[in-house]
Amino acid sequence: MKKLVFFCLVVLTACATLTRPPSLQEDELILTRKYVGNFVEYRPYLPEKFGDPYLIWIKTTMDSTYGKIAAYSQKCEFNNGDRLYIRRVYYAPGMASGYWDYQIESSDSRIYYRLSEFQHDSKEFIESWFTSQSEK
């Protein structure tokens, strides 16, 4: 009798670990870095009023897909032809919640810039580039 109860317990435990909730989407959990083309050029955007941040508009070889990518900086140190990636990093400063931060970086991650959440050229939020529905 003890063996039968033990066997049932093992089978139920094994079945419980094999199923996963349908709300988990593997792509969203794994994809943290996305290739956006090779660096072509950048254009600085000066703030219109005091207190606004400095922006640079980065043009890549995949400009037709992503448009010009807006990042916070006064100058850009990428070299012509550098492979560029957008990386998202999850920060949890408190115990209750966290947020995604997006940055553009070179292939060796030496140079990186924080991205603006709203990409003005493509008129969409940067987080939409990482969701499976609007996969580009």
Side-chain angles (χ1 to χ4, degrees):
M1 183 66 177
K2 287 183 181 181
K3 289 182 182 181
L4 180 63
V5 171
F6 178 73
F7 178 73
C8 290
L9 184 62
V10 169
V11 169
L12 289 175
T13 305
C15 291
T17 58
L18 292 178
T19 60
R20 64 179 152 154
S23 64
L24 282 180
Q25 293 182 358
E26 220 171 279
D27 290 344
E28 291 183 37
L29 295 175
I30 294 174
L31 186 61
T32 60
R33 192 174 193 216
K34 187 172 197 167
Y35 176 70
V36 291
N38 293 347
F39 178 73
V40 175
E41 65 181 0
Y42 84 99
R43 186 181 68 211
Y45 174 79
L46 299 175
E48 293 179 358
K49 56 186 173 185
F50 182 75
D52 285 351
Y54 284 91
L55 289 175
I56 54 174
W57 294 66
I58 299 171
K59 182 178 181 180
T60 67
T61 54
M62 295 178 71
D63 191 42
S64 60
T65 304
Y66 296 103
K68 291 176 183 54
I69 301 170
Y72 295 110
S73 182
Q74 287 184 334
K75 63 179 181 170
C76 182
E77 295 180 1
F78 292 134
N79 296 319
N80 198 8
D82 280 352
R83 292 178 61 85
L84 299 181
Y85 296 87
I86 291 181
R87 177 183 296 270
R88 68 178 179 172
V89 181
Y90 190 74
Y91 289 104
M95 296 179 82
S97 65
Y99 62 94
W100 288 105
D101 193 31
Y102 298 87
Q103 60 191 29
I104 188 165
E105 62 185 16
S106 59
S107 58
D108 58 3
S109 302
R110 285 183 308 111
I111 304 168
Y112 59 91
Y113 302 102
R114 185 169 173 248
L115 293 177
S116 170
E117 285 187 34
F118 184 72
Q119 293 297 306
H120 302 278
D121 195 38
S122 58
K123 305 284 190 253
E124 61 185 344
F125 286 96
I126 192 79
E127 68 188 32
S128 70
W129 293 358
F130 284 90
T131 58
S132 57
Q133 294 117 7
S134 64
E135 194 69 36
K136 298 199 178 206

